[in-house]
Amino acid sequence: MSHPPPDVPSDDCLRSYNYLFSPDILRDKVAFITGGGSGIGFRIAEIFMRHGCQMVIASRNQQRLSDAAKKLIAATGQQCLALSLDVRDPQTITAAVDKALKTFGKIDILINGAAGNFLCAANSLSFNAYKTVIDIDTIGTFNVSKVMFEKYFRDHGGVIINITATLNYRGRMLQVHAGTAKAAVDAMTRHLAVEWGHNNIRVNSLAPGPISGTEGMRRLGGHQPDWDRNILGSPLQRLGNKTEIAHGALYLASPLASFVTGTVLVVDGGNWLTYANDSMKLLGIETYPSKL
Ligand code: HXC
Ligand code: NAP
């Protein structure tokens, strides 16, 4: 069955929630998520908190994080700490992880969700544009994972979930920057799973397909030629929603996945298998502004 659970397009909590997993599957756990103030990261934070988890949401925009934390606490009754950091700056990561450990005394789960993206042809990308996406997505994921390892996971174990994408599987047009960045993160997932397994750390990637109500979709979605046909022609014939991604993350973080490490869980309704990726139709497109 592929009926989606209800969702809302804005960065607000769900109006109602029907439990599929045990409601206390993450009771007394603490999770730290980069990019937790918006989009997919916000919904992961909400679903984790609904399952008993205390949460740290971290990114650059302190105001948006504080607003998000208020909504999450009101909807779930769990604690949520909003901390500003830039995943490109190890000092800010260290300060945030220190604060989180001081507040909660432990961290069990790290979700690397921070990312940056836009549509741009390879020949139009500036050197700095390419580097910026690699810095945020790939190096940022390494930076936060390394700080977490040194500060806590090395001695206590933990779970790491890296949010990636399917863009690189078939070389998606206008996405060389994000595709290579996320491919490197999937490789990092396997390396760290191997190196840190004996520290009782599981490391997995979760690769969403096109997800409604997200900044990613606003930037990459409807203005591509044949977008609707691409979605309707995909195996499950629809966009995914944020709750469906959060359920994938919940599975990977939970004891249900106790023997799962070094993998990529693709949650895309089969989209990457059939997406047209038509180079002739997209050849005329150089770049789109990030904010449309
Ligand atoms: C071409 C662009 C561009 C665009 C920025 N640049 N936007 N180039 N097309 N639309 C270039 C700039 O000109 C600059 O190069 C360089 O990128 C860095 O830009 P800054 O604005 O200085 O960077 P910064 O402030 O660090 O912001 C990073 C950002 C921004 C990625 C550019 O958009 C951001 O903060 N994004 C976060 C939110 C986000 O992207 N969410 C979507 C995630 S979706 P020059 O040479 O001029 O200095 C996702 C998707 C998935 O990841 C898959 C969906 C299917
Ligand atoms: P989003 O809401 O824009 O999420 C990106 C988050 O990253 C924002 O909360 C942003 O917050 C944070 N961020 C960006 N740069 C940062 C930095 N330098 N340091 C710290 N935080 C930073 O977009 P989304 O669409 O929900 O995407 C969430 C994740 O899913 C991303 O990893 C994305 O690649 C992945 N994904 C999305 C889709 C989709 O269809 N939407 C598909 C495949 C994969 P600040 O601005 O506050 O820093």
Side-chain angles (χ1 to χ4, degrees), residues 60 88 115-118 126 128-129 132 216 219-220 287-288 290:
R60 295 165 300 178
R88 296 168 286 193
N117 199 5
F118 41 78
S126 70
N128 189 41
T132 296
R219 291 178 182 220
L220 272 63
T287 183
Y288 284 98
S290 307

Side-chain angles (χ1 to χ4, degrees), residues 10-264:
S10 55
D11 288 338
D12 290 297
C13 292
L14 300 169
R15 284 186 267 280
S16 63
Y17 183 70
N18 179 30
Y19 282 90
L20 302 169
F21 290 80
S22 166
D24 63 357
I25 199 164
L26 294 184
R27 192 177 59 199
D28 299 332
K29 300 287 185 201
V30 179
F32 186 110
I33 180 166
T34 65
S38 65
I40 288 171
F42 178 87
R43 188 69 72 239
I44 293 174
E46 176 187 348
I47 296 297
F48 276 35
M49 290 169 74
R50 286 185 184 275
H51 289 82
C53 197
Q54 294 170 337
M55 207 76 207
V56 182
I57 56 175
S59 68
R60 295 165 300 178
N61 185 334
Q62 181 67 55
Q63 186 57 54
R64 184 162 67 166
L65 288 168
S66 300
D67 293 347
K70 277 188 204 133
K71 294 179 201 173
L72 291 165
I73 293 165
T76 68
Q78 295 292 335
Q79 286 189 70
C80 181
L81 187 62
L83 297 177
S84 129
L85 57 69
D86 189 321
V87 296
R88 296 168 286 193
D89 178 353
Q91 276 190 336
T92 64
I93 301 166
T94 301
V97 171
D98 282 342
K99 259 189 217 157
L101 287 171
K102 201 169 169 205
T103 304
F104 293 116
K106 66 168 187 168
I107 298 167
D108 302 288
I109 301 157
L110 165 64
I111 299 162
N112 286 303
N117 199 5
F118 41 78
L119 289 174
C120 189
N123 58 298
S124 300
L125 269 178
S126 70
F127 295 115
N128 189 41
Y130 185 81
K131 179 178 182 300
T132 296
V133 173
I134 300 287
D135 278 346
I136 299 171
D137 294 24
T138 310
I139 299 176
T141 295
F142 180 75
N143 291 343
V144 182
S145 302
K146 183 174 161 65
V147 170
M148 198 62 78
F149 180 79
E150 287 173 356
K151 292 271 170 193
Y152 199 75
F153 282 11
R154 174 174 24 214
D155 297 329
H156 301 89
V159 177
I160 300 177
I161 300 170
N162 296 325
I163 307 299
T164 60
T166 63
L167 303 164
N168 68 90
Y169 298 179
R170 290 169 61 226
R172 179 79 66 90
M173 286 287 290
L174 313 179
Q175 286 288 275
V176 65
H177 42 305
T180 48
K182 296 292 196 179
V185 175
D186 283 344
M188 197 187 308
T189 289
R190 292 185 282 274
H191 286 283
L192 295 183
V194 169
E195 287 201 25
W196 292 351
H198 69 272
N199 297 89
N200 196 23
I201 299 170
R202 294 190 296 106
V203 188
N204 291 290
S205 289
L206 193 169
I211 303 304
S212 60
T214 64
E215 183 65 19
M217 269 297 297
R218 283 186 279 278
R219 291 178 182 220
L220 272 63
H223 40 281
Q224 287 201 41
D226 285 343
W227 175 255
D228 290 346
R229 203 146 59 89
N230 272 318
I231 297 301
L232 289 173
S234 70
L236 297 187
Q237 302 180 315
R238 63 173 176 83
L239 297 174
N241 73 33
K242 293 173 283 191
T243 300
E244 291 177 299
I245 301 305
H247 284 159
L250 181 58
Y251 162 71
L252 287 174
S254 79
L256 286 168
S258 54
F259 204 48
V260 179
T261 196
T263 64
V264 181

